[in-house]
Amino acid sequence: MLKGKKIILGITGSIAAYKSAYLLRGLIKEGAEVQVIMTEAGKNFITPVTMAALSGKPVLGTFFENSDGSWHSHVDLGIWADLMLIAPASANTMGKMVTGFADNLLVTTYLSAKCPVMIAPAMDLDMYRHPSTQSNIEKLKQFGASIIEPASGELASGLVGKGRMEEPERIVEIVKEFFRNQLQNSTFEGKKILITAGPTFEKIDPVRFIGNYSSGKMGYAIAEELASRGADVVLVSGPVQIKAEHQSIKVIKTESAAQMYEACAQLFPGCHGAVMAAAVADYTPENTTSKKIKREGDDLTLTLKPTKDIAAELGRIKQNNQFLAGFALETNDAVENAKLKLSKKNLDFIVLNSLEDEGAGFMTDTNIITIIDRHNNPQRFPLKNKREVAADIADKIETYLK
């Protein structure tokens, strides 16, 4: 049930931290990818070595690694996760979460999280029922967190009452039920969406090609975002150095514009829509050679011919129950050129980014976009991480699916 889901498991200073090992094992067994973040107090109750062995990932706890100075980005962690689960959550950590006292990686990640948050409190009964703790729990609920109520029973102090962290098996079931309900309520559930990503390489000879600087990061981020919302994604990818992670993404690898055209023309009629995020070559060599072209003289003349326009073809065959989105990377007259492309190719909306904007364009982890709909209404977004940009694009797609 949890295959392909990315979960942050936060562990704080509570004797119930020993249960986190069983919880982690249960999440992994269900197919989740889990990143453990521990507070310093949490490390006193269960070792990072244990949790790293069970998760298959180094346990995070500090902002920086003293050995090499590398930084653990709470922003990237907050974007990466589909769910943040803090179990056990101590009174101390919940207090920091409420006040925004961000003195450790766990709290800063919580404050940056784009995903839902679940909290499983664990503490002695008097601490749990204290008005301060109860007030903090209510505030966390108001902030949008889900509270996994502690159970009643014998506590570490020897007292009997409410404060025991819920059993790991039950927490796993709660997490599974959450994702099950999320899929059932998702607009994207049961929708098949075509995405293109990356560059195309137009062959000159066995060792040379015409290409561009596209890394594929934007297209892959859109694919991951749509898949996380329940869509079945077909990703037609040019040659890139990244891999799709979500199980609901089917990758079809292509190299040339012609190969990408054939794949898209075949797949699109069976999809609910498509996002053309690839940087497809406009021209390809008219002739290629099977042997390497040797240098003879100072000049080499190549005759180029236009490639088939993938977006225009999909726009031509698009049905009323399908959506089609395109991308426009411009260097000048950006809005005017994007609007022209939007109309010419029968797109429902176009995502404009400009090389004139710092932090946008090829081979970056960030982007600045403007979404223009078919009525020429622009919606501009600030500089964001490409996964955040993908979420904005997914929100736009959702309006068409509804």
Side-chain angles (χ1 to χ4, degrees), residues 98-328:
V98 168
T99 60
F101 188 65
D103 68 338
N104 62 52
L105 185 62
L106 180 59
V107 176
T108 54
T109 301
Y110 161 72
L111 294 173
S112 302
K114 301 290 185 183
C115 61
V117 177
M118 289 186 179
I119 301 169
M123 63 201 73
D124 204 65
L125 77 164
D126 293 312
M127 291 183 68
Y128 179 72
R129 67 189 183 191
H130 194 280
S132 175
T133 303
Q134 290 300 309
S135 174
N136 285 337
I137 288 174
E138 289 304 312
K139 287 179 181 177
L140 288 169
K141 288 180 181 178
Q142 292 172 16
F143 294 163
S146 299
I147 305 297
I148 301 175
E149 289 287 328
S152 295
E154 185 176 352
L155 305 171
S157 63
L159 299 174
V160 176
K162 190 171 184 179
R164 288 171 57 94
M165 188 179 93
E166 183 59 271
E167 294 305 313
E169 296 81 5
R170 175 59 186 151
I171 295 178
V172 171
E173 288 303 315
I174 290 171
V175 171
K176 288 167 61 178
E177 183 65 21
F178 165 76
F179 282 113
R180 189 178 296 114
N181 291 337
Q182 189 181 61
L183 285 177
Q184 290 174 350
N185 296 328
S186 173
T187 304
F188 291 90
E189 178 68 11
K191 301 297 190 296
K192 186 175 182 180
I193 300 176
L194 172 67
I195 309 289
T196 64
T200 63
F201 289 172
E202 307 305 314
K203 188 175 180 180
I204 298 173
D205 64 19
V207 298
R208 301 182 181 91
F209 61 86
I210 297 172
N212 57 61
Y213 295 113
S214 174
S215 64
K217 290 180 179 179
M218 191 68 256
Y220 273 70
I222 296 169
E224 296 286 351
E225 179 65 25
L226 296 183
S228 73
R229 298 191 185 199
D232 292 321
V233 177
V234 183
L235 178 59
V236 180
S237 174
V240 297
Q241 300 301 314
I242 51 180
K243 294 182 179 180
E245 298 179 3
H246 201 284
Q247 64 167 351
S248 295
I249 300 175
K250 178 182 179 181
V251 180
I252 296 176
K253 295 183 178 180
T254 61
E255 182 174 279
S256 67
Q259 292 171 349
M260 188 172 284
Y261 175 92
E262 292 299 328
C264 291
Q266 181 180 359
L267 292 165
F268 184 62
C271 295
H272 292 86
V275 181
M276 302 286 98
V280 183
D282 293 318
Y283 294 91
T284 188
E286 191 170 81
N287 298 299
T288 61
T289 66
S290 59
K291 295 181 180 180
K292 179 182 175 181
I293 300 173
K294 298 296 184 180
R295 179 167 178 168
E296 297 179 357
D298 295 328
D299 297 321
L300 173 65
T301 301
L302 292 176
T303 301
L304 304 179
K305 62 181 180 180
T307 57
K308 292 183 178 180
D309 193 323
I310 301 174
E313 173 60 16
L314 300 194
R316 185 186 69 81
I317 64 175
K318 179 169 68 79
Q319 302 297 309
N320 291 334
N321 60 348
Q322 292 177 301
F323 75 87
L324 181 61
F327 267 71

